Amino acid sequence: MGFIAQDVEEVLPEIVETDSEGYKSINYTEIIPVMVEALKKQQQMIDKLQKSIDSLRRDRDSRRTTAE
């Protein structure tokens, strides 16, 4: 399993190399820090969304309690 070099090249051209025959390869060592940062940002988004969900549930539950 891996990435398609042409797809990666569109986003991170500095980690894609092209040899003399035109074959492309990815320097996977350089992609690791980029992926780790992306995962951190994704987790931050998940945490924020979870807080929003929790808040909405609390509001809903308090309205149900008040309505009863």
Side-chain angles (χ1 to χ4, degrees):
M1 187 169 160
F3 296 102
I4 298 172
Q6 289 82 351
D7 292 343
V8 173
E9 190 173 36
E10 291 177 12
V11 181
L12 297 167
E14 64 274 11
I15 68 168
V16 176
E17 299 170 359
T18 306
D19 69 14
S20 60
E21 295 179 14
Y23 291 102
K24 295 186 180 291
S25 62
I26 299 170
N27 183 340
Y28 281 94
T29 303
E30 290 186 33
I31 203 170
I32 293 170
V34 175
M35 292 182 70
V36 168
E37 284 304 311
L39 286 170
K40 286 179 184 178
K41 287 181 182 178
Q42 182 181 38
Q43 189 60 50
Q44 289 173 349
M45 291 172 64
I46 290 169
D47 293 344
K48 183 178 178 182
L49 289 169
Q50 187 61 55
K51 286 180 184 178
S52 294
I53 290 168
D54 293 343
S55 176
L56 289 168
R57 284 182 176 157
R58 280 192 302 275
D59 289 347
R60 178 200 63 195
D61 292 345
S62 69
R63 286 187 183 127
R64 282 184 180 172
T65 305
T66 306
E68 295 173 358

